[in-house]
Amino acid sequence: MGNSARAHTSGRGAVLRWTGPVLAGALALVTVLPANAHAASGQFTYIRGDNGAPAVLFNPPNDVCLPLDGGAAHAGNDTDATAFVYADGACTPEQGLAIVGVGATWDQTNPPPLPARSVRFGSTG
């Protein structure tokens, strides 16, 4: 039984020796990922639905739901990422209004007009 306990301890020691480098590598990967999950370069312009004034989001972050103050009646996506516009302020998928590709524009639709209340940039909405 003594040898068995010693072998088990050696096995556990081996696991612990490998755990440190594996955790360090995972931590390094997690640290690098946010740096690579960059903001969309460029600007997303929109016409506010409440007062008709122009508004701009400069270099908006990817994969973050952003409110569109005053709601958007018209939008132009001059970023390097796809924009997903939503009728609610929480980017709820069921409230999706449009996918606005790079260099594309969007206008509110449906009588009565339904403005966009939020936008998310990235490869998925």
Side-chain angles (χ1 to χ4, degrees):
M1 187 166 230
N3 288 340
S4 190
R6 199 173 305 142
H8 182 66
T9 301
S10 295
R12 185 179 307 152
V15 169
L16 291 177
R17 280 191 294 268
W18 281 101
T19 302
V22 169
L23 287 176
L27 181 58
L29 181 61
V30 169
T31 303
V32 170
L33 285 178
N36 290 338
H38 68 287
S41 295
Q43 60 187 24
F44 181 81
T45 57
Y46 66 98
I47 303 300
R48 292 177 57 131
D50 62 352
N51 63 14
V56 181
L57 299 174
F58 293 99
N59 300 322
N62 281 331
D63 302 317
V64 175
C65 184
L66 302 170
L68 296 173
D69 294 333
H74 170 83
N77 183 13
D78 292 316
T79 72
D80 63 355
T82 301
F84 299 83
V85 295
Y86 300 88
D88 69 346
C91 297
T92 305
E94 296 78 26
Q95 294 292 314
L97 293 174
I99 298 171
V100 186
V102 174
T105 60
W106 169 82
D107 288 300
Q108 65 185 7
T109 57
N110 303 329
L114 186 59
R117 300 285 179 198
S118 61
V119 62
R120 180 186 309 271
F121 294 86
S123 58
T124 61

